[in-house]
Amino acid sequence: SSLKSFRTGALKLLGNLTFNPISALTGATVADITNYQQASDLCRDMMLEAEQVAKQLGCTLRVSVDRRLQRARDLVGDHKTSMLQDVEKGKPIEVDILNGVVEVASLTRSQIPAISAIAKCTNLLNHVLEKNTKSKL
């Protein structure tokens, strides 16, 4: 059903919002992130912030943040995220999801310090990748 598809998409979005930029910035796999306490805590903080933004929009997640992290730890493992793979290839990265959440959080007056900090660093990384790509042309 479309509701099941939306819920699956929302869970994937939550993972992309957190694991993708952290892996791109650090070179870590999902297993590295979920098994390193400080990185796992950062993911959890970001997911909780995103959950608060979603609640401001009337959306609720059917899977808890802690369960989502556990699933990533148990099921995804040593996977390199698509964003990390792009960084390794020197390609610009997709920052629209992060920037979109920051924008919506601003509109809803939601406080998202962890997401904002990671978004700023990820945007800088993308700027550098784009600059390097242009200089090779």
Side-chain angles (χ1 to χ4, degrees), residues 66-77:
D66 290 326
R67 181 77 178 119
R68 175 67 179 96
L69 280 168
Q70 187 64 45
R71 281 184 177 175
R73 186 178 297 114
D74 295 344
L75 302 176
V76 180

Side-chain angles (χ1 to χ4, degrees), residues 92-128:
I93 52 179
E94 178 58 52
V95 294
D96 290 347
I97 291 172
L98 268 174
N99 292 333
V101 172
V102 170
E103 187 175 334
V104 171
S106 174
L107 294 172
T108 61
R109 299 190 194 316
S110 301
Q111 299 299 308
I112 56 166
I115 292 172
S116 292
I118 291 296
K120 290 172 184 173
C121 292
T122 304
N123 283 317
L124 173 59
L125 174 59
N126 191 53
H127 171 76
V128 170

